[in-house]
Amino acid sequence: EGGREGMGDSNVDSQMRDTLKHFLPKSLSFYQMLRLWLEEPRLHEEHLYLPSLPPQYNSERLATLMQASGTSMWFDFVPLWEIKGLINTLVQEWIQVASYQKSLPSKSQPHDSSPDNAISRIQKRLKKHHATHLPPSFHCLSSPFTALPEEVLLSPDALMAVVRADTQFIANQASSFCSNISQMAGLDTEFMNGVPELYSNEPRQFHVNVPCRSRFSRQACQGPATIVFRFEEMTAHPKWEQRLKTNRGEYNDLLLSLRSPVSNDLCRSVMRMEHTVAELSKLSHRWEEAEENPALVSGIALFYEILQCVSVETRQFLPSCQFLTSCVQILGQEFVMKDPQECGRVLQTILSISSVADLLAPIFQPNRSSGQFLSMYSCVLEAAVTQQQSIVFSILTKFNITSWLEASSPSQQERVELLDLIMKGFVFCGPEPLDTVVLFQELYRNHFKMLVGHKFPCLLMDALKAVVKGSRNHSILPLLWADLCTLLKADTMRENEPNPLKSELEETMHVGGILVSKEPQIDLGTILACLRYLSDFYAEERKASQRTLFSILSHDYVRLIGHFVGFLCELMVERWRVSVEAGGAAMEEAVTECWQNLLDVFSPWIFSMQLTDSPEIQPPCTILECEVMKDFVQVFVSSVYTAQSKLNNAEDPNFMCLLWQYYCSSLAVHSTPDHVIQVYHSCFTSLPWGRYTPDLAAIHSMSELKLRSQCYPSSCFHFLGTIFHQFNWTEIVRCTTNDIGYSGNTTRAIQLHIMLLQLLVMLTSEEEVMKADDSGIPDLMAEAHSFHWEYVDFKTYNDILQWQKNNCDCAMVLHTGSSLCLSLRLLKVVAGFPTSSGRRERLHPETREKRLAYISTVVELVAGSTHKKGVKASLCSDAVSQLFQTVIDICVHEPEEQGTAHIISLLQEILNLLNTCSPAQEVTNEIVRHMMLVLDQMPDAHLLTLPTITAGCRVLASLKLMTQVVEHAILCHFKALATPPNSHSHSGSHSHSDALELPRDVNDYGWHAVVVSLVAPESALEEFSQTCVGECALLTLHGHTMQNLRQCASLVQEHGLAVRLVRWSTQIKPLPTQEGAVFPLWEKALYLLVRQLTYSSSSHTSIVPHLTTMAASLAHFGEDKASEGILGVIGLGKKSCYSHRFRLISRVMSTFLYCQMPVDPTYSTHLRLTPDAPGHLTTHTISTTQTHPQHVTPAKLAEQGHSNLEALLSNKAYVSVKEQITYSLSFINDPSNTLKQSTELLVCLCTRLYGDCRYLDVLRVPH
């Protein structure tokens, strides 16, 4: 069996090892799985799909756990093999024990069940034990002391005579113990002082002999060497050694005496005292319900008797300390606390014997003696100055102000007396208490809030007066003002709270730790009385001290006083609102009274005041006090804001109106320093100015801030600029204009618009206002464009323009985004100019004058800017464009004004810029260039061309500038004309007759309007003509020629005009862009010369030089290269800058003229005026008639010109005009064409080659 058991055990062990190999990794993964389950919060989500979890989460087991369906899901983690092995082991042990017991022989005899045998057995067993001892003898113990009879206990004197010996013995024992303790401490001190003196370092030395043992020394040895060692050795002093030994002996003896047990006499005295106290307590309880308790007197006497024994020594001795402390506590609770009259005596005992303060503090209950409450409080306050402050503070915490107020119901006088005592406590603590009195201060604050909060506001005025006087002396804590605010807020919260219904606790409430009873709220009269007191007190204080209040009071006081005053003002406003809603007061009365009270209470703080018997005005603060004053001004602003919100009077007066009136009359004056004004402005900007609707008087006062700068500081108008945009000017203008429909009187509307325009213009001139980040003036200016400016008359408008011109930097007109341009845009609208949306519906009768004044002002500003250094002329372009655009808008939106004197006047003002601008050439040229560009490219600018001609001729002082402007205006005028229906292009093929089939009305081709518009200066006609020639103003010169031609009344005058035209034709040097403008002059010159040949009776010889000169000039224009100079002679002249078509016309006309002027052998020139006239090019030599017997032949220049024309047919440069060359040669070769057809040839060529030039259409109209 043993072998089987061994084999079984080995099998179990091997099975266990195998099981462990599988169990341990499984167990490890199990704990990891549990960790993952605990750390993953998403496993509790309903929508989690468990099979999607990683394998480490064991989703199958988790699903079984979630369903709570598995009962054996954890068995695979239980070590069942260990349990089974343990069970098998226990079974084996049990089997072994059972088999062993069976193998033992049975020695016990069967018991006899008879009773005798049982008795005998018991007796036998008893005989084997020892006999029992007798109990010890009993001795009755006697009492260690004799109990006191009741008569002695109830007699205080007898009781004291008996007890005094025990109390003194106990005190002596404690004194003896303390003496031993002191002696022991002395011995320790002596020992500690002697230990440093016990040892000292004494110098020592010893000698060492070193023998000579050298074998190499040649001299004899003289003896051993001696070495001396010197050192310090620790040495004990015999004297101190003996003294310390004696000290330790005394110490041990004293220690043995202290370890001895307490004497029986001391225990006896303690027991007798304890018994006496217990008996007195029993007697007191027996007489508790009686009217007089005789045991109470004895107990109190015993209390003070024992209290006299309490000292530092008795409290140092632990037995006496514990005993006396327990006696004092028991007697105090059982006897002293039951007599309210003992409170004062206990307090005096605490204050006189500071060592027992901690014992008596629990016994001292001042609220039990309401009659002595105030006197005890006063004593504690006095003691706080001289006594130990920690003891006084613990006593002071015993005074429960709330309980005293509720239980005793003190009178008003008693509460005022307590308030005075508390204020004395605040004075003791000071405004900045030390760390040792901070707790006192907090306790006083709590008492202060409890006292004033009781039956609030009965004590409010007294508390306010006390706090004000304490603040004046800087003797109290500034936070008392915050406490008053808290009380006021508590009253306000009580006002807004619903009525209590259930609990009696709802009859009181706690606000910030203050118990405030629900009694009648603070009324308007109390609020006004507080405000009146504050205003009177601080006004008198300021006058008496002749200093600012901010220099009298520190910043902490000022800030909290401001909060208190502000909250009082809010309460006042709220009470007035309730009164108005209830019908008890009118809105006007409420607003007036509120405003007056606000002024009164804030005047000593933030407004200037006149000192007593002195004309000097004292400002409210100095420069260094501005930040402090700003807080108070902000409170004033907040009060005004609240008043405006709650007492919003739709009609005057309202608070914003009253504030603005007061600001203009009392604050914005020169007597107010700048630093004070700045404080006002920084705070007043936060007021709700959008709710203010200024009337005409207020608007007038706004303009006075700027116009009467000698009466108001400059910063006042800047302040107006910061708030001006907040006014609802759109609504103000709308209401004012609507009133016209009811009353029919426009006076108010006129005044409003005039003053509003003045203010807007003046505000835009303030750089500080316009550059502010939150400036709303630009938006307001844009909004003002829709106002009814037709009410502004010319005189007022002109005055405003003059003011603007005199009070601005004229260079800013060149910057589109400047404030000046912003103002000018509004002034432009006021002048009645049409806007981009169209013309204005209503215009002032003096609109034309206003427009002219506006243009004149802008021109003056632009001209003035050109005189400034550093201003580039190119900057003037935008301003010039806007001026022309302004006039164009009139012509577009007001067609009836086109070409009128009004438009001409406006353009005259614009062109006057050239007269008044800087005389620098670059400035003038740039302006002229841009004017030309505007007329050429600006949309609808053609409407201004003809008026510009007239305006330029009338206003420009420089003939050069005049001719430049007029010339370009004429050119732009023709560019804008529509293409005539029978116009011919130079690329087409047309017959000679087609070129002349044109209407006879010159108005269709624009020159009639040009001639009418052109006004040459009568005083300088010749200079004007020469300037036109010099500036190549050929169209202007042609228009001027047409005017002169109309004025010619005889052939002589026409001859003079023709001579001038020929001379001008030789003098002009047109630019390539102006080459087409030469043809009208040529045509007029040829036309007048032919007229002279046709109708004049004088000799034709006078005309020949002019024709020759003109032909030579034309030939010069037709050259491909210059023939002048040395290079020109050798064929290296400069290439012509003119176009091929211009050179072709010049050559054709020159050749044609030379062909019509043949010469005879005497070189006399003849003119071909008839088709049969001799000397034509094709006949070479033509016999003369009877009238002319000589032979006439073509001139050499004619033949040369003809050859050159024929050569052009093969010139590649003239391929594009080959058809016109052919036509010209045929025209020249035709003998029927005489000098009279010269204009016809010129017109035909111009029509073919310059059909796009509208100003040449006039050439096709027959004379």
Side-chain angles (χ1 to χ4, degrees):
E1 292 178 357
R4 292 194 194 98
E5 290 177 1
M7 293 176 63
D9 293 339
S10 62
N11 293 333
V12 171
D13 293 340
S14 62
Q15 184 181 1
M16 185 182 303
R17 286 192 296 271
D18 295 339
T19 307
L20 283 173
K21 291 180 181 179
H22 300 287
F23 178 75
L24 290 178
K26 200 171 187 179
S27 177
L28 180 62
S29 63
F30 169 69
Y31 286 110
Q32 291 177 350
M33 176 190 69
L34 293 180
R35 178 183 177 185
L36 293 173
W37 286 4
L38 293 174
E39 292 179 351
E40 182 55 60
R42 291 180 295 178
L43 295 179
H44 299 280
E45 296 179 0
E46 297 180 358
H47 305 291
L48 180 64
Y49 183 61
L50 295 179
S52 64
L53 294 174
Q56 293 83 352
Y57 284 85
N58 202 339
S59 58
E60 295 180 0
R61 192 183 302 276
L62 183 61
T64 305
L65 178 65
M66 293 293 186
Q67 297 172 2
S69 60
T71 57
S72 61
M73 58 182 297
W74 308 110
F75 280 173
D76 52 345
F77 298 106
V78 178
L80 296 177
W81 53 271
E82 186 177 354
I83 296 173
K84 290 179 181 180
L86 181 61
I87 293 174
N88 292 334
T89 303
L90 293 175
V91 170
Q92 294 296 331
E93 291 178 357
W94 175 256
I95 292 174
Q96 290 178 2
V97 171
S99 61
Y100 175 76
Q101 290 179 352
K102 289 179 181 181
S103 65
L104 293 177
S106 177
K107 297 181 180 181
S108 61
Q109 300 295 331
H111 296 288
D112 193 355
S113 60
S114 62
D116 295 336
N117 293 335
I119 293 173
S120 64
R121 289 196 302 273
I122 294 172
Q123 290 177 351
K124 289 179 180 180
R125 293 176 178 173
L126 290 175
K127 289 179 181 180
K128 296 180 180 179
H129 296 280
H130 298 286
T132 58
H133 295 281
L134 294 175
S137 60
F138 178 76
H139 299 282
C140 294
L141 299 176
S142 61
S143 175
F145 60 88
T146 303
L148 298 178
E150 184 176 345
E151 293 80 6
V152 176
L153 293 175
L154 297 179
S155 174
D157 296 335
L159 180 61
M160 294 303 103
V162 175
V163 173
R164 189 170 289 115
D166 292 332
T167 57
Q168 290 180 355
F169 181 74
I170 293 172
N172 293 335
Q173 289 293 317
S175 177
S176 177
F177 175 81
C178 292
S179 176
N180 292 335
I181 292 296
S182 299
Q183 185 179 357
M184 182 178 289
L187 291 173
D188 284 339
T189 303
E190 183 183 3
F191 178 79
M192 295 303 294
N193 294 333
V195 168
E197 303 294 335
L198 179 60
Y199 297 99
S200 63
N201 293 326
E202 296 295 335
R204 295 284 187 270
Q205 70 179 16
F206 69 90
H207 302 269
V208 177
N209 295 325
V210 181
C212 179
R213 296 175 182 178
S214 175
R215 297 178 182 180
F216 302 99
S217 176
R218 296 180 180 181
Q219 297 179 0
C221 182
Q222 297 179 359
T226 302
I227 301 175
V228 181
F229 291 92
R230 294 182 177 85
F231 59 92
E232 291 185 350
E233 183 182 14
M234 183 179 70
T235 306
H237 292 276
K239 175 182 176 182
W240 281 104
E241 196 173 14
Q242 182 63 31
R243 287 181 61 180
L244 294 181
K245 184 177 180 181
T246 304
N247 178 279
R248 288 299 91 187
E250 294 177 1
Y251 179 84
N252 292 329
D253 295 340
L254 187 59
L255 186 62
L256 289 175
S257 65
L258 289 175
R259 288 179 177 176
S260 62
V262 180
S263 66
N264 292 333
D265 294 337
L266 179 60
C267 295
R268 187 180 299 109
S269 298
V270 170
M271 292 176 63
R272 185 164 39 246
M273 288 289 298
E274 186 177 1
H275 182 268
T276 301
V277 172
E279 290 298 321
L280 277 175
S281 298
K282 293 178 182 179
L283 292 176
S284 176
H285 287 299
R286 186 193 306 170
W287 294 90
E288 188 173 6
E289 296 182 358
E291 294 182 0
E292 295 183 359
N293 189 351
L296 193 63
V297 179
S298 298
I300 294 173
L302 181 59
F303 170 81
Y304 287 105
E305 181 65 27
I306 294 176
L307 197 61
Q308 291 179 358
C309 296
V310 178
S311 63
V312 177
E313 295 177 345
T314 57
R315 301 193 72 175
Q316 189 176 359
F317 185 44
L318 188 60
S320 63
C321 177
Q322 293 179 348
F323 171 71
L324 294 177
T325 300
S326 62
C327 289
V328 169
Q329 291 177 351
I330 293 172
L331 292 173
Q333 294 175 0
E334 293 291 335
F335 300 98
V336 178
M337 291 180 65
K338 292 181 179 180
D339 188 359
Q341 301 300 323
E342 292 298 320
C343 287
R345 187 178 178 185
V346 171
L347 176 60
Q348 293 298 329
T349 304
I350 293 173
L351 297 178
S352 59
I353 308 175
S354 60
S355 60
V356 299
D358 56 339
L359 297 178
L360 298 184
I363 301 172
F364 178 64
Q365 299 292 334
N367 285 82
R368 292 179 177 269
S369 179
S370 58
Q372 302 178 16
F373 190 87
L374 294 177
S375 60
M376 288 188 292
Y377 199 93
S378 177
C379 290
V380 173
L381 289 179
E382 294 176 357
V385 182
T386 57
Q387 300 291 334
Q388 188 176 357
Q389 293 178 347
S390 60
I391 298 174
V392 177
F393 177 77
S394 63
I395 298 173
L396 194 60
T397 57
K398 298 292 183 178
F399 290 87
N400 192 329
I401 302 297
T402 303
S403 300
W404 178 69
L405 291 172
E406 294 179 350
S408 303
S409 298
S411 63
Q412 180 76 6
Q413 182 179 0
E414 291 175 330
R415 284 185 287 158
V416 172
E417 184 179 352
L418 178 59
L419 177 63
D420 294 338
L421 293 175
I422 294 174
M423 296 308 297
K424 290 181 180 179
F426 282 119
V427 173
F428 159 70
C429 295
E432 296 180 357
L434 302 175
D435 295 339
T436 55
V437 296
V438 169
L439 295 178
F440 279 92
Q441 190 180 71
E442 294 300 322
L443 190 59
Y444 290 142
R445 284 186 65 190
N446 195 23
H447 291 175
F448 175 81
K449 291 184 283 189
M450 290 178 180
L451 176 62
V452 180
H454 180 70
K455 294 183 179 180
F456 189 81
C458 295
L459 211 61
L460 177 60
M461 277 300 299
D462 298 285
L464 179 61
K465 293 178 181 179
V467 172
V468 167
K469 293 178 181 178
S471 300
R472 178 185 60 181
N473 301 326
H474 290 79
S475 59
I476 64 171
L477 183 69
L479 289 176
L480 287 181
W481 289 100
D483 295 338
L484 290 177
C485 271
T486 305
L487 291 169
L488 291 175
K489 292 178 181 178
D491 183 72
T492 306
M493 293 172 61
R494 181 175 73 247
E495 173 186 355
N496 299 328
E497 198 178 67
N499 292 328
L501 298 176
K502 299 179 181 180
S503 175
E504 293 182 358
L505 295 177
E506 292 180 352
E507 293 300 324
T508 59
M509 72 175 192
H510 289 272
V511 179
I514 311 166
L515 190 66
V516 184
S517 58
K518 284 199 171 182
E519 298 175 358
Q521 307 154 6
I522 182 170
D523 57 352
L524 180 60
T526 304
I527 297 173
L528 294 178
C530 292
L531 291 175
R532 194 176 301 111
Y533 172 76
L534 289 172
S535 62
D536 294 343
F537 178 85
Y538 285 112
E540 290 298 327
E541 182 72 14
R542 185 174 170 185
K543 291 180 180 179
S545 63
Q546 296 188 358
R547 296 162 55 195
T548 65
L549 294 178
F550 305 109
S551 62
I552 299 174
L553 299 173
S554 66
H555 177 58
D556 295 334
Y557 286 107
V558 172
R559 180 173 55 84
L560 294 173
I561 292 173
H563 291 170
F564 177 75
V565 172
F567 196 76
L568 270 181
C569 293
E570 291 182 8
L571 287 179
M572 174 188 67
V573 172
E574 179 62 24
R575 294 296 181 269
W576 275 112
R577 183 189 65 81
V578 173
S579 177
V580 170
E581 292 179 354
M587 176 63 77
E588 183 177 354
E589 177 189 0
V591 171
T592 305
E593 290 295 327
C594 274
W595 173 251
Q596 189 58 46
N597 282 283
L598 286 176
L599 286 184
D600 291 343
V601 74
F602 283 101
S603 290
W605 296 93
I606 63 175
F607 299 140
S608 300
M609 292 183 63
Q610 184 174 1
L611 301 178
T612 307
D613 300 331
S614 174
E616 181 183 357
I617 301 297
Q618 183 195 51
C621 72
T622 62
I623 297 178
L624 299 178
E625 298 164 353
C626 286
E627 289 299 324
V628 185
M629 176 184 165
K630 187 175 181 179
D631 295 338
F632 223 102
V633 177
Q634 196 60 50
V635 175
F636 172 72
V637 169
S638 178
S639 301
V640 174
Y641 190 100
T642 302
Q644 177 66 24
S645 301
K646 293 187 177 182
L647 295 175
N648 189 9
N649 189 13
E651 299 179 358
D652 291 339
N654 57 38
F655 286 93
M656 299 306 299
C657 176
L658 295 172
L659 175 63
W660 180 254
Q661 294 175 1
Y662 186 76
Y663 172 80
C664 294
S665 61
S666 302
L667 303 183
V669 293
H670 273 298
S671 59
T672 305
D674 290 339
H675 62 274
V676 177
I677 288 288
Q678 293 300 328
V679 173
Y680 293 153
H681 294 166
S682 62
C683 297
F684 286 177
T685 52
S686 60
L687 284 168
W689 295 104
R691 305 179 188 176
Y692 176 38
T693 303
D695 55 7
L696 293 179
I699 299 175
H700 178 71
S701 63
M702 295 177 187
S703 60
E704 290 293 308
L705 293 178
K706 182 66 175 180
L707 298 177
R708 298 179 60 192
S709 57
Q710 71 278 8
C711 300
Y712 301 98
S714 58
S715 59
C716 296
F717 195 70
H718 296 165
F719 163 69
L720 176 63
T722 60
I723 65 172
F724 192 78
H725 65 279
Q726 300 182 32
F727 302 141
N728 192 354
W729 290 109
T730 303
E731 184 65 20
I732 295 172
V733 171
R734 187 187 63 81
C735 295
T736 305
T737 53
N738 288 344
D739 290 343
I740 300 175
Y742 300 106
S743 62
N745 188 0
T746 61
T747 303
R748 293 185 70 255
I750 293 174
Q751 294 177 355
L752 171 65
H753 284 81
I754 289 176
M755 290 186 290
L756 181 56
L757 179 60
Q758 288 177 341
L759 287 170
L760 290 174
V761 172
M762 290 188 292
L763 286 172
T764 53
S765 66
E766 298 294 330
E767 184 177 359
E768 181 179 345
V769 175
M770 299 303 295
K771 287 188 177 180
D773 295 337
D774 56 346
S775 176
I777 299 300
D779 295 335
L780 179 60
M781 296 289 285
E783 183 182 352
H785 288 186
S786 60
F787 293 170
H788 300 277
W789 299 114
E790 63 272 9
Y791 294 112
V792 179
D793 62 307
F794 167 69
K795 183 180 181 304
T796 303
Y797 180 76
N798 191 52
D799 292 341
I800 295 174
L801 283 176
Q802 293 301 318
W803 188 94
Q804 176 73 88
K805 183 174 60 177
N806 297 331
N807 293 272
C808 71
D809 182 7
C810 56
M812 290 296 102
V813 75
L814 306 181
H815 301 279
T816 307
S818 64
S819 57
L820 177 58
C821 290
L822 194 68
S823 175
L824 291 176
R825 280 195 287 272
L826 177 62
L827 290 170
K828 176 182 174 182
V829 175
V830 177
F833 286 101
T835 60
S836 57
S837 58
R839 64 186 300 171
R840 302 184 69 87
E841 297 180 359
R842 291 176 292 180
L843 297 174
H844 194 274
E846 298 175 330
T847 298
R848 289 189 174 184
E849 290 80 358
K850 290 163 62 177
R851 291 176 177 176
L852 192 62
Y854 170 79
I855 296 294
S856 176
T857 300
V858 175
V859 168
E860 289 185 33
L861 292 174
V862 175
S865 65
T866 61
H867 291 272
K868 289 183 172 291
K869 293 183 179 180
V871 177
K872 296 182 179 179
S874 58
L875 297 177
C876 301
S877 58
D878 290 340
V880 173
S881 298
Q882 292 175 6
L883 289 171
F884 276 98
Q885 185 62 54
T886 301
V887 183
I888 290 174
D889 290 339
I890 298 177
C891 296
V892 172
H893 298 290
E894 300 177 12
E896 67 278 4
E897 293 288 352
Q898 294 182 10
T900 61
H902 176 51
I903 300 297
I904 295 175
S905 300
L906 297 178
L907 291 173
Q908 285 182 217
E909 293 295 337
I910 296 174
L911 295 177
N912 191 41
L913 174 62
L914 297 173
N915 296 332
T916 56
C917 68
S918 172
Q921 190 68 26
E922 57 180 5
V923 174
T924 307
N925 292 342
E926 180 64 25
I927 295 176
V928 171
R929 186 193 65 79
H930 193 73
M931 287 183 176
M932 294 179 179
L933 191 65
V934 167
L935 291 175
D936 193 20
Q937 298 179 1
M938 185 172 286
D940 299 319
H942 65 279
L943 300 175
L944 302 185
T945 54
L946 296 176
T948 302
I949 297 172
T950 305
C953 293
R954 289 180 179 177
V955 73
L956 291 177
S958 171
L959 294 177
K960 179 180 178 180
L961 296 177
M962 181 191 302
T963 54
Q964 290 178 1
V965 172
V966 172
E967 178 70 12
H968 192 76
I970 296 174
L971 184 61
C972 293
H973 167 70
F974 284 106
K975 283 184 179 180
L977 291 180
T979 303
N982 295 326
S983 63
H984 303 278
S985 174
H986 64 270
S987 61
S989 178
H990 304 279
S991 64
H992 172 72
S993 60
D994 290 340
L996 299 178
E997 292 180 0
L998 296 172
R1000 293 183 174 272
D1001 189 359
V1002 75
N1003 294 333
D1004 294 342
Y1005 303 100
W1007 274 103
H1008 176 73
V1010 171
V1011 173
V1012 173
S1013 302
L1014 184 63
V1015 182
E1018 297 181 358
S1019 60
L1021 291 177
E1022 186 62 28
E1023 292 84 350
F1024 175 74
S1025 302
Q1026 288 301 321
T1027 304
C1028 291
V1029 173
E1031 296 297 323
C1032 288
L1034 306 179
L1035 298 180
T1036 306
L1037 191 58
H1038 179 258
H1040 180 53
T1041 301
M1042 295 178 68
Q1043 289 179 336
N1044 292 338
L1045 186 57
R1046 292 180 181 180
Q1047 296 175 0
C1048 290
S1050 63
L1051 290 175
V1052 177
Q1053 292 177 347
E1054 288 184 2
H1055 180 269
L1057 180 58
V1059 172
R1060 289 197 301 272
L1061 285 172
V1062 172
R1063 186 177 68 250
W1064 294 340
S1065 298
T1066 59
Q1067 293 175 350
I1068 58 176
K1069 295 179 181 180
L1071 298 174
T1073 56
Q1074 300 172 316
E1075 59 185 22
V1078 180
F1079 303 137
L1081 294 178
W1082 291 354
E1083 191 271 342
K1084 280 293 180 291
L1086 294 175
Y1087 167 72
L1088 292 177
L1089 291 175
V1090 171
R1091 279 181 57 85
Q1092 289 295 319
L1093 294 173
T1094 305
Y1095 300 106
S1096 177
S1097 60
S1098 61
S1099 174
H1100 292 177
T1101 56
S1102 62
I1103 303 301
V1104 172
H1106 301 303
L1107 288 174
T1108 303
T1109 301
M1110 188 170 182
S1113 176
L1114 294 176
H1116 177 71
F1117 282 124
E1119 294 175 349
D1120 291 332
K1121 292 183 179 181
S1123 60
E1124 298 176 350
I1126 300 175
L1127 295 178
V1129 172
I1130 62 178
L1132 298 178
K1134 187 177 179 181
K1135 186 178 179 180
S1136 176
C1137 60
Y1138 300 113
S1139 63
H1140 294 88
R1141 54 178 180 171
F1142 178 75
R1143 281 180 277 168
L1144 175 62
I1145 295 177
S1146 300
R1147 288 185 176 185
V1148 169
M1149 293 306 299
S1150 173
T1151 302
F1152 182 78
L1153 290 178
Y1154 279 129
C1155 289
Q1156 305 308 317
M1157 293 186 293
V1159 295
D1160 57 17
T1162 62
Y1163 297 102
S1164 298
T1165 303
H1166 300 264
L1167 299 179
R1168 296 188 71 254
L1169 299 178
T1170 59
D1172 56 350
H1176 190 266
L1177 188 64
T1178 57
T1179 59
H1180 299 288
T1181 302
I1182 302 176
S1183 58
T1184 61
T1185 59
Q1186 297 178 357
T1187 310
H1188 305 281
Q1190 69 273 26
H1191 296 278
V1192 179
T1193 59
K1196 292 182 180 181
L1197 292 177
E1199 293 176 353
Q1200 184 180 353
H1202 189 271
S1203 300
N1204 291 337
L1205 281 178
E1206 290 178 343
L1208 292 181
L1209 292 174
S1210 59
N1211 193 332
K1212 294 181 179 180
Y1214 290 85
V1215 173
S1216 60
V1217 292
K1218 187 175 182 180
E1219 183 179 354
Q1220 281 71 34
I1221 296 174
T1222 305
Y1223 169 78
S1224 300
L1225 287 172
S1226 63
F1227 191 91
I1228 294 173
N1229 293 333
D1230 187 1
S1232 61
N1233 293 324
T1234 64
L1235 190 60
K1236 295 180 179 181
Q1237 277 73 42
S1238 58
T1239 57
E1240 183 180 340
L1241 175 60
L1242 178 60
V1243 170
C1244 186
L1245 291 176
C1246 290
T1247 303
R1248 291 170 178 267
L1249 297 176
Y1250 289 88
D1252 55 340
C1253 296
R1254 299 278 71 83
Y1255 52 80
L1256 296 180
D1257 292 343
V1258 70
L1259 302 181
R1260 296 179 290 173
V1261 179
H1263 296 284

